[in-house]
Amino acid sequence: MRSVRRCSRTGCTNPAVATLTYAYADSTAVVGPLATYAEPHSYDLCEAHALRLTVPKGWEVVRHEGEFAPPEPSDDDLTALAEAVREAGRPDRPVEATGLTPGGSRRGHLRALPDPIDE
């Protein structure tokens, strides 16, 4: 399931619609449509930040012409969401072990105690 990607700019919570990539060898910043997958060396930007991007003196900006549109959810995304909800609601769903020792364990200021019925 694909979650909504947010703008990479600090403090911005708007959805991303563009991807910024730097070509350092060419002193160029490229702002294009939102990439299919988040890449480690690229930045997702909302429309406002994609349109207002400035670069250092001597650098060039290559910007996508046209409107930036948020990606539409596909049938695969909707199917994955429905399956996740269905799986979470199953009454016979296996419960993951928490890794506690039989006598309880201590982490920070919280303490996990064993179930008194099991004793």
Side-chain angles (χ1 to χ4, degrees), residues 16-41:
V17 296
T19 298
L20 165 65
T21 307
Y22 291 107
Y24 293 100
D26 299 325
S27 300
T28 303
V30 179
V31 180
L34 187 63
T36 306
Y37 299 100
E39 296 290 335
H41 300 290

Side-chain angles (χ1 to χ4, degrees), residues 39-60:
E39 296 290 335
H41 300 290
S42 63
Y43 304 90
D44 295 337
L45 299 175
C46 65
E47 186 172 18
H49 287 123
L51 296 174
R52 292 190 327 224
L53 177 78
T54 59
V55 293
K57 188 182 247 182
W59 279 61
E60 182 182 355

Side-chain angles (χ1 to χ4, degrees), residues 38-94:
E39 296 290 335
H41 300 290
S42 63
Y43 304 90
D44 295 337
L45 299 175
C46 65
E47 186 172 18
H49 287 123
L51 296 174
R52 292 190 327 224
L53 177 78
T54 59
V55 293
K57 188 182 247 182
W59 279 61
E60 182 182 355
V61 177
V62 175
R63 202 178 312 263
H64 167 73
E65 292 185 19
E67 295 183 15
F68 292 107
E72 294 294 324
S74 69
D75 290 339
D76 291 340
D77 294 334
L78 297 175
T79 302
L81 177 61
E83 288 175 4
V85 169
R86 206 174 297 122
E87 179 68 23
R90 276 186 33 214
D92 62 337
R93 180 177 71 150

